[in-house]
Amino acid sequence: MKKMNNKGFSLVELIIVIAIMAVLMGVLAPQLLKYVEDSRAQTDLSAMSEIENATKIALSIEDIYNSVSDGTTVTIANGAQVASSDSLLQAELLRTCPDAIKLTSKTWGSTGGTITINFDAAAGTFKLTNSWTTATP
């Protein structure tokens, strides 16, 4: 009698491979999700830092610098355009960043960020402080 030469996988071998893959996914999936969220948080921080830099550039314009007072704020909120408590500064920021801000992380998507402008009248300088440098995501 001729013996058949089976070249496929047995059911047991396939079940073992599927079980190994399930264990690997169970271990790796939470880490992958953590890395994705960390990446989203870094993207949001980068976007907010770009707006902070745009604010510094806008303050280099003399008319805007003269119109801004101590404690002026710039608000960054998810799904909204950049807003400022000073109308000239806001107009300039909207020229630089006309679109609504999209914050995708769980941390910054719900809270957004705030930039506060503080002046040192004696030195004739300003300093920007933001809400995300000291915050922990």
Side-chain angles (χ1 to χ4, degrees), residues 77-81 100-103 109:
N78 186 27
Q81 292 179 316
I101 307 301
K102 291 181 178 45
L103 303 174

Side-chain angles (χ1 to χ4, degrees), residues 61-81:
I61 300 170
E62 187 176 355
D63 290 341
I64 295 173
Y65 181 85
N66 291 333
S67 75
V68 173
S69 60
D70 195 45
T72 299
T73 59
V74 175
T75 306
I76 304 163
N78 186 27
Q81 292 179 316

Side-chain angles (χ1 to χ4, degrees), residues 41-108:
Q42 288 298 345
T43 301
D44 290 351
L45 289 173
S46 176
M48 291 189 294
S49 293
E50 286 178 26
I51 294 171
E52 183 176 22
N53 289 334
T55 303
K56 290 176 184 176
I57 292 169
L59 287 170
S60 68
I61 300 170
E62 187 176 355
D63 290 341
I64 295 173
Y65 181 85
N66 291 333
S67 75
V68 173
S69 60
D70 195 45
T72 299
T73 59
V74 175
T75 306
I76 304 163
N78 186 27
Q81 292 179 316
V82 176
S84 175
S85 54
D86 181 80
S87 59
L88 283 178
L89 177 59
Q90 181 170 352
E92 182 62 28
L93 288 174
L94 288 176
R95 277 193 279 284
T96 307
C97 313
D99 297 328
I101 307 301
K102 291 181 178 45
L103 303 174
T104 57
S105 70
K106 293 176 184 175
T107 303
W108 304 110

